[in-house]
């Protein structure tokens, strides 16, 4: 069996977001008729159709895949434009009303609906283009038929000058929805 | 480690109690505050968001989804579901690096 030097994969954008501990699967299958592929350059990786995902620390200096990007300090402690909770709230309310006004609660559809709504609200928030902000959107949809007692609570540890959140509630006859959108400044 | 911290906090606050509508408000606040305090004690350079939902066991359904725009290599989240005979408690912790 030929010795293969493990190389880093840099061009697969999906993999770039996986933490190294997760991406260290060593399973490798060789495509038939391919001999011993050289894994040094990522160009060849794409051709050989192998199924492995080894992230080697030794090859990091090649610069193909850099996990810890070092950004230069901007010395900006405050954002130019703060997270405007009022606008975001209105936008989220519009989304919820538009998508849910005639919906009936159904476990199968609401499961996908909540994920879809979280995605849609995230896209709308990104359109505001708040610079250097990270966002977290949490959407909960529940049924009202059984009239459950419920309480939502939330606390955050953040910089109160720059960070904020927006809270939206919606209810129709058979379901309710709650969306919480947090904007945190990345110094 | 965040997981055990959260579980311990939840157990501590609502451990042996049955769902009581007048106390639920206080419970959510306490659970969230305790979680946050424990997380702060870890001393890591993170901003935290802790959310807690306490729901009566009534046969009703609840779906929660979250979408996050952050740096996947440094930020993460963890959700813990706790229940007893009368209620469910769902705690989500989001940690974002500074």
């Amino acid at each position: 069996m030929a010795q293969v030097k493990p190389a880093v994969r840099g061009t697969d954008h999906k993999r770039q977001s996986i933490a190294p501990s997760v991406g260290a699967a060593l399973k490798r299958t060789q495509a038939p008729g391919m001999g011993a592929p050289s894994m040094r350059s990522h160009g060849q990786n794409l051709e050989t159709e192998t199924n492995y995902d080894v992230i080697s620390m030794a090859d990091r200096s090649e610069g193909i895949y850099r996990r810890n990007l070092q950004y230069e300090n901007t010395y900006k402690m405050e954002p130019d434009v703060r997270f405007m909770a009022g606008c975001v709230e209105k936008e989220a309310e519009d989304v919820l009303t538009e998508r849910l006004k005639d919906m009936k609660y159904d476990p199968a559809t609401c499961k996908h609906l909540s994920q879809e709504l979280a995605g849609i609200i995230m896209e709308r928030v990104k359109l505001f283009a708040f610079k250097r902000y990270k966002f977290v959107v949490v959407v909960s949809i529940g049924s009202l038929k059984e009239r459950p007692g419920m309480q939502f609570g939330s606390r955050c540890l953040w910089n109160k000058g720059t960070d904020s959140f927006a809270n939206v509630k919606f209810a129709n006859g058979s379901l309710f929805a709650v969306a919480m959108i947090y904007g945190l400044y990345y110094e | 480690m965040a997981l055990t911290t959260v579980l311990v906090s939840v157990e501590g606050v609502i451990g042996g109690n049955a769902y009581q509508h007048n106390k639920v408000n206080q419970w959510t606040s306490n659970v969230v505050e305790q979680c946050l305090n424990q997380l702060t004690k870890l001393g890591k350079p993170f901003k935290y968001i802790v959310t807690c939902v306490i729901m009566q066991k009534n046969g009703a359904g609840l779906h929660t989804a979250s979408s996050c725009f952050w740096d996947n290599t440094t930020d993460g989240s963890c959700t813990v579901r706790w229940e007893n005979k009368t209620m469910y408690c769902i705690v989500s912790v989001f940690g974002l690096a500074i």
Side-chain angles (χ1 to χ4, degrees), chain A residues 3 14 53 67 106 115 118 126 132-133:
Chain A
Q3 291 286 344
K14 285 190 210 144
D53 200 355
R67 184 163 52 90
D106 172 44
Q115 288 171 359
K126 282 201 253 180
R132 296 182 74 82
Y133 268 91

Side-chain angles (χ1 to χ4, degrees), chain B residues 1-64:
Chain B
M1 191 197 259
L3 209 95
T4 44
T5 317
V6 168
L7 274 171
V8 164
S9 311
V10 172
E11 274 290 326
V13 174
I14 50 179
N17 296 331
Y19 182 86
Q20 288 172 58
H21 188 68
N22 51 355
K23 289 225 180 122
V24 134
N25 200 350
Q26 197 188 0
W27 284 341
T28 38
S29 307
N30 288 349
V31 163
V32 171
E33 259 191 66
Q34 281 230 12
C35 285
L36 209 46
N37 287 337
Q38 298 293 328
L39 288 166
T40 330
K41 281 190 196 150
L42 295 174
K44 303 245 172 82
F46 278 95
K47 289 185 177 175
Y48 295 106
I49 298 172
V50 180
T51 59
C52 168
V53 182
I54 295 189
M55 191 165 109
Q56 192 183 12
K57 261 192 186 180
N58 216 349
L62 176 72
H63 295 277
T64 305

Side-chain angles (χ1 to χ4, degrees), chain B residues 60-75:
Chain B
L62 176 72
H63 295 277
T64 305
S66 70
S67 169
C68 307
F69 183 64
W70 60 23
D71 183 348
N72 269 333
T73 54
T74 55
D75 308 328

Side-chain angles (χ1 to χ4, degrees), chain A residues 131-183:
Chain A
K131 292 214 169 101
R132 296 182 74 82
Y133 268 91
K134 291 181 178 175
F135 305 114
V136 175
V137 173
V138 183
V139 170
S140 299
I141 302 183
S143 82
L144 275 180
K145 200 180 75 159
E146 293 87 354
R147 306 186 66 79
M150 202 174 306
Q151 183 82 19
F152 283 75
S154 160
R155 273 234 169 65
C156 308
L157 180 73
W158 60 23
N159 179 345
K160 72 173 198 269
T162 58
D163 306 328
S164 183
F165 80 106
N167 213 348
V168 180
K169 299 174 275 284
F170 170 82
N172 68 15
S174 71
L175 59 75
F176 71 91
V178 173
M180 295 178 274
I181 304 122
Y182 304 88

Side-chain angles (χ1 to χ4, degrees), chain A residues 5 10 12 21 55 70 81 91 100 118 127 180:
Chain A
K5 178 179 167 204
D12 188 340
S21 57
I55 298 173
Q70 298 288 329
V81 179
E91 196 68 31
L100 295 177
L127 286 177
M180 295 178 274

